[in-house]
Amino acid sequence: MLDLIYVHIDMTSNAVLSKGITHTDFTRSIVHHPKNLLLLNPSAEEGEYDMHSGLKIIRGEENVNQYFSTVHRQKMNEEIKWIDFSDVAMLKELTPLEISELLYFGHMKTSLHSPFFYKLQNDFVFFEFVDHMTRVYYRYIDEFYRILADKITRVILEKVNDRKTFFKRGVSVEKLDGELLKEMKSILQEGVVFCFDQMDIKGKEYHIPIHVVEDSLWKTKNFAYRNEPVIAILVYNTAKRTWRLMQEDDFGLTDFPRHA
């Protein structure tokens, strides 16, 4: 079972660095599905070669979905790196400088200027590293809150049903509303860990502690995050089928509004 989800949002570039959220989780929950992909790994085996950019492309939604399915089925031994684009014809309009920026982006995982290119009209730039970290740039950051909400819901669904005996039917879990997570925007900009391995079960409630670790990613590898302050607690009530967020302030933990 998943022990943690790490999230750090850079609101300046709409970049999200995370651990525990995979390419599969991403493609399962997004609304703006890519029409075409430009693979930012020059040695990528998939796709067709584009003479103008010198990179591989995946053309059309059907082929994009097939590529995503291949990525999900295979154990990838290389980084996943792609940027979506709306019109194949516009690739021919990229200048040498813009192509060099894309190559730099693919190599360094950070953009020289904006991560969103006018000629590409991209909604995402996606990187998944071999150590299960992802860095994704979102044109619409609400997409990320939806992805994170869906992932947490699935983790809690697994945790809740793990306690059931063989003879009892599994139970469903109310979907976590991304709007509740948006209330955590200031927290998520700090760099936090949703700590499922220290989740506290109090009667009908599952309490997920959220530790602030900033950009100290090494703390996710050796359980050092457990020693960091709990900045908030995400709570799911199985009887009422509600989610709520408790945030620590100077006077203790304060309840945020409840969300179904």
Side-chain angles (χ1 to χ4, degrees):
M1 286 189 181
L2 187 66
D3 290 334
L4 66 88
I5 294 176
Y6 169 82
V7 175
H8 183 247
I9 299 180
D10 180 353
M11 297 304 295
T12 302
S13 61
N14 274 12
V16 180
L17 183 65
S18 67
K19 184 174 185 177
I21 300 175
T22 66
H23 191 272
T24 303
D25 298 322
F26 171 87
T27 57
R28 179 185 290 176
S29 298
I30 55 175
V31 171
H32 296 87
H33 289 270
K35 298 177 181 178
N36 309 283
L37 300 180
L38 183 63
L39 305 184
L40 297 177
N41 183 356
S43 61
E45 296 182 0
E46 302 289 336
E48 57 183 285
Y49 183 75
D50 175 61
M51 292 287 292
H52 183 70
S53 66
L55 294 168
K56 296 286 190 69
I57 64 172
I58 308 290
R59 188 195 303 254
E61 289 189 49
E62 183 178 346
N63 289 327
V64 168
N65 291 333
Q66 184 176 352
Y67 169 73
F68 286 164
S69 296
T70 301
V71 169
H72 300 168
R73 288 195 308 268
Q74 296 177 352
K75 182 176 177 60
M76 302 297 290
N77 296 317
E78 60 182 29
E79 297 177 344
I80 302 170
K81 302 188 286 188
W82 56 258
I83 183 171
D84 65 299
F85 64 97
S86 61
D87 188 349
V88 175
M90 289 302 292
L91 283 181
K92 310 302 181 186
E93 302 298 323
L94 290 172
T95 66
L97 180 58
E98 289 168 330
I99 293 172
S100 67
E101 285 189 25
L102 286 166
L103 292 172
Y104 177 87
F105 205 168
H107 181 66
M108 300 300 294
K109 289 85 174 176
T110 186
S111 59
L112 286 171
H113 300 102
S114 170
F116 305 104
F117 293 75
Y118 174 75
K119 291 176 183 176
L120 299 181
Q121 291 294 298
N122 61 301
D123 291 321
F124 309 103
V125 189
F126 186 97
F127 299 98
E128 182 170 313
F129 315 126
V130 292
D131 58 357
H132 308 296
M133 299 291 297
T134 61
R135 176 179 285 125
V136 186
Y137 294 80
Y138 295 86
R139 182 180 294 273
Y140 307 104
I141 196 66
D142 281 8
E143 291 266 35
F144 171 71
Y145 294 112
R146 185 181 303 107
I147 294 165
L148 179 58
D150 287 352
K151 179 67 173 184
I152 293 174
T153 301
R154 287 194 294 272
V155 173
I156 294 303
L157 176 65
E158 186 177 4
K159 299 286 187 183
V160 168
N161 285 285
D162 186 56
R163 301 188 74 203
K164 297 293 179 183
T165 65
F166 178 79
F167 299 101
K168 289 187 177 181
R169 293 178 58 187
V171 298
S172 61
V173 168
E174 189 69 22
K175 183 177 177 179
L176 173 58
D177 191 343
E179 293 298 314
L180 179 58
L181 294 178
K182 286 171 68 174
E183 296 175 14
M184 297 176 56
K185 181 170 69 172
S186 60
I187 296 175
L188 298 179
Q189 291 180 77
E190 296 290 329
V192 301
V193 166
F194 292 81
C195 186
F196 299 107
D197 63 343
Q198 285 193 310
M199 184 171 62
D200 192 12
I201 302 173
K202 298 182 178 180
K204 299 293 185 179
E205 291 193 338
Y206 286 70
H207 288 226
I208 307 164
I210 303 171
H211 296 265
V212 58
V213 296
E214 299 178 337
D215 57 356
S216 302
L217 294 179
W218 61 270
K219 293 179 181 177
T220 66
K221 297 180 180 180
N222 58 10
F223 303 108
Y225 59 87
R226 296 175 179 175
N227 300 320
E228 298 303 313
V230 173
I231 196 171
I233 296 176
L234 185 61
V235 181
Y236 180 67
N237 188 303
T238 57
K240 298 179 180 179
R241 295 174 59 85
T242 56
W243 293 88
R244 75 179 191 274
L245 181 67
M246 297 191 299
Q247 185 172 352
E248 190 172 27
D249 59 19
D250 295 337
F251 306 101
L253 289 170
T254 304
D255 273 12
F256 277 82
R258 291 174 180 263
H259 287 246

